[in-house]
Amino acid sequence: MALLYIVAGVNHFVIPKMYLRIMPPYVPFHKTMVFLSGIAEVLLGVGLLFTLTREWAAWGIILLLIAIFPANVEQLRNKKARGKLPLWVVILRLPLQLVLIWWAWLYT
C-alpha cells in the first residue's frame, strides 16, 4: 500500500496534466492542489512504512481519498477529463475508492 501511494504521489509531478484535467472547476488553484495532493500521497505512503506513523498515515489516506473523490466524479462527468480512458474504467474507479478506504482502514 505504501508503494502505491508513493508512486501515485510522484506521478503528480511526472504527469501533472493528467491530474489537472480531472480537477473540478469549482476547486481553486488547480496546480497548487495537484502539487499538494502529490506531496500528501508521498508523505502518507512513507508514513505507512513506520510503526510510529502508520495509523496516522492511514487516517490521512482515508481523508485524502474522500477529498479527491470529486475529481473522480469530474472524470466521469466530463468526457474531456476522461481523456482516452474507457468509460467502464472511470465508472469502476468510483467504487474502487471505497475499497482503498477500507484497505487504509485496516492500518488504523
Side-chain angles (χ1 to χ4, degrees):
M1 183 176 199
L3 183 61
L4 171 81
Y5 287 99
I6 293 168
V7 170
V10 168
N11 214 26
H12 282 68
F13 305 102
V14 176
I15 24 177
K17 287 182 181 181
M18 180 176 79
Y19 298 95
L20 288 168
R21 191 172 59 231
I22 66 173
M23 291 291 289
Y26 58 84
V27 173
F29 312 110
H30 288 180
K31 287 182 182 178
T32 302
M33 293 300 183
V34 169
F35 177 76
L36 291 176
S37 60
I39 289 173
E41 285 190 57
V42 170
L43 291 176
L44 293 168
V46 170
L48 287 174
L49 297 172
F50 303 99
T51 307
L52 184 64
T53 56
R54 186 168 296 136
E55 187 173 349
W56 285 101
W59 282 114
I61 287 169
I62 291 168
L63 293 174
L64 181 66
L65 288 168
I66 293 167
I68 65 170
F69 189 76
N72 294 333
V73 173
E74 179 65 18
Q75 193 174 34
L76 176 64
R77 190 190 72 72
N78 182 339
K79 190 172 182 173
K80 184 179 177 185
R82 200 174 311 143
K84 296 179 182 179
L85 284 176
L87 182 59
W88 69 267
V89 171
V90 177
I91 291 170
L92 187 63
R93 219 174 140 181
L94 296 175
L96 178 62
Q97 291 291 106
L98 294 173
V99 173
L100 292 172
I101 288 170
W102 171 77
W103 190 16
W105 183 76
L106 294 176
Y107 286 82
T108 65

